[in-house]
Amino acid sequence: MIAVGRDLDHDGDAMARLAERLGLPFADLLDPNEVALVLEYRDGRLSVSDRRDRRARPVSVGIDRVLQRYASLPAPRRGALGRAIGKRTRTVVDATAGWGADLGLLVAMGLRVTAVERSVVVAALLADGLNRLRHSTNVRGRFRMPRLMVADAIGYLADSVDAPDCVYLDPMFPPKRKRSALAKRPLRVLRELVGDDDDRRRLFASALTAAGKRVVVKRPDDAPPLEHGADESYAGKLVRYDVYFTGRERI
Ligand SMILES: C[S@@+](CC[C@H](N)C(=O)[O-])C[C@H]1O[C@@H](n2cnc3c(N)ncnc32)[C@H](O)[C@@H]1O
């Protein structure tokens, strides 16, 4: 289970408020064998530490670091993701924000992005990462600050009034046996926090109705598409972006 840690270098009241808001217990009040993951501040970053593996580095949202990688912003839309998003796209809903890695790439491309995340724990990590981005002096004024919505994107998209040009989806999938052994730590931690997104096809349907122009779905390179009938596909390193244009008959 996940619990909140009491940090020596962080305001105790703030941690108590965080624990209450997220409905999480404090780790030190539990049997240590019950606590696998701990939410705590490490080097000023809200992070998830794995108590079962002391050598493992804590995981936090690194969106500030993603943007700092670029010498100039906005970044050109050249790679597989950029081509899948399309040159004319201006507004994107990243409906599965997770660790915010893709969100960082979308923001770097100069897009106006709304990030949606339904796990309150993951959303708290994202909010912390976005706060760092807001105060990051290296990139200040060179990107549009994304908006974070803590919501189920299926309902959020159904209720949205202004259609975004693009809805971007990267739902969790059950791991393949071979892959799971190799899966990167952030993804493994995320899977422990949120499980598999079994309603991903409903999310796709909602995205296709809500998007003004296209839905982009990220998939492992060797996995079948989330839905058949993709209009375009762009292969990246170990992943593929399937593009579905809106307003087309799909059988
Ligand atoms: C594979 S992760 C996304 C990783 C992300 N693209 C990144 O670059 O870090 C999937 C995330 O989407 C969230 N998610 C899945 N379905 C959702 C939905 N219907 N509404 C909101 N969030 C959703 C999950 O909670 C999880 O955090």
Side-chain angles (χ1 to χ4, degrees):
M1 79 179 295
I2 181 158
V4 171
R6 291 190 208 267
D7 298 70
L8 297 177
D9 61 349
H10 203 83
D11 172 10
D13 287 347
M15 293 314 280
R17 282 196 300 275
L18 183 72
E20 192 182 347
R21 186 161 60 81
L22 302 181
L24 295 179
F26 271 112
D28 59 3
L29 302 179
L30 300 172
D31 173 350
N33 296 321
E34 275 180 36
V35 182
L37 301 174
V38 176
L39 190 64
E40 58 193 351
Y41 281 90
R42 288 291 196 94
D43 300 326
R45 308 172 77 90
L46 187 62
S47 310
V48 179
S49 307
D50 192 335
R51 283 267 166 105
R52 294 156 299 186
D53 182 357
R54 298 272 174 192
R55 283 169 311 166
R57 284 175 52 188
V59 192
S60 63
V61 167
I63 187 166
D64 50 336
R65 292 172 177 161
V66 174
L67 266 88
Q68 283 162 15
R69 269 192 241 138
Y70 292 91
S72 76
L73 289 169
R77 297 183 200 174
R78 274 200 216 109
L81 174 62
R83 286 158 67 211
I85 293 294
K87 281 204 181 84
R88 297 214 181 93
T89 297
R90 298 281 168 264
T91 52
V92 179
V93 171
D94 177 353
T96 53
W99 287 117
D102 294 329
L103 172 62
L105 300 176
L106 297 171
V107 169
M109 288 177 206
L111 293 155
R112 191 185 291 274
V113 189
T114 301
V116 189
E117 174 54 57
R118 66 179 163 190
S119 155
V120 288
V121 174
V122 179
L125 290 154
L126 271 168
D128 181 69
L130 289 175
N131 199 33
R132 266 192 307 282
L133 176 64
R134 184 176 285 112
H135 295 107
S136 168
T137 44
N138 304 0
V139 289
R140 188 175 291 158
R142 292 160 60 207
F143 66 93
R144 285 178 209 275
M145 194 63 203
R147 220 160 47 115
L148 173 63
M149 305 301 298
V150 188
D152 189 319
I154 297 175
Y156 173 83
L157 289 168
D159 294 344
S160 62
V161 180
D162 296 323
D165 294 335
C166 171
V167 178
Y168 178 74
L169 304 179
D170 175 21
M172 304 284 293
F173 284 84
K176 289 188 175 178
R177 284 210 172 157
K178 219 169 105 203
R179 256 182 204 275
S180 67
L182 300 172
K184 290 198 176 135
R185 176 168 303 280
L187 200 56
R188 287 211 301 267
V189 170
L190 200 56
R191 187 178 300 288
E192 281 195 59
L193 291 176
V194 306
D196 291 326
D197 296 325
D198 292 328
D199 53 358
R200 51 191 173 267
R201 294 188 70 185
R202 281 205 301 129
L203 176 58
F204 177 83
S206 188
L208 203 58
T209 308
K213 293 177 182 160
R214 64 179 68 200
V215 175
V216 174
V217 185
K218 182 178 176 183
R219 299 285 286 125
D221 55 353
D222 56 352
L226 175 55
E227 286 293 345
H228 63 84
D231 296 294
E232 291 174 357
S233 263
Y234 296 92
K237 212 169 134 193
L238 298 176
V239 295
R240 190 182 73 239
Y241 301 97
D242 294 333
V243 183
Y244 303 80
F245 296 124
T246 56
R248 297 205 173 165
E249 276 288 296
R250 283 170 209 285
I251 307 149

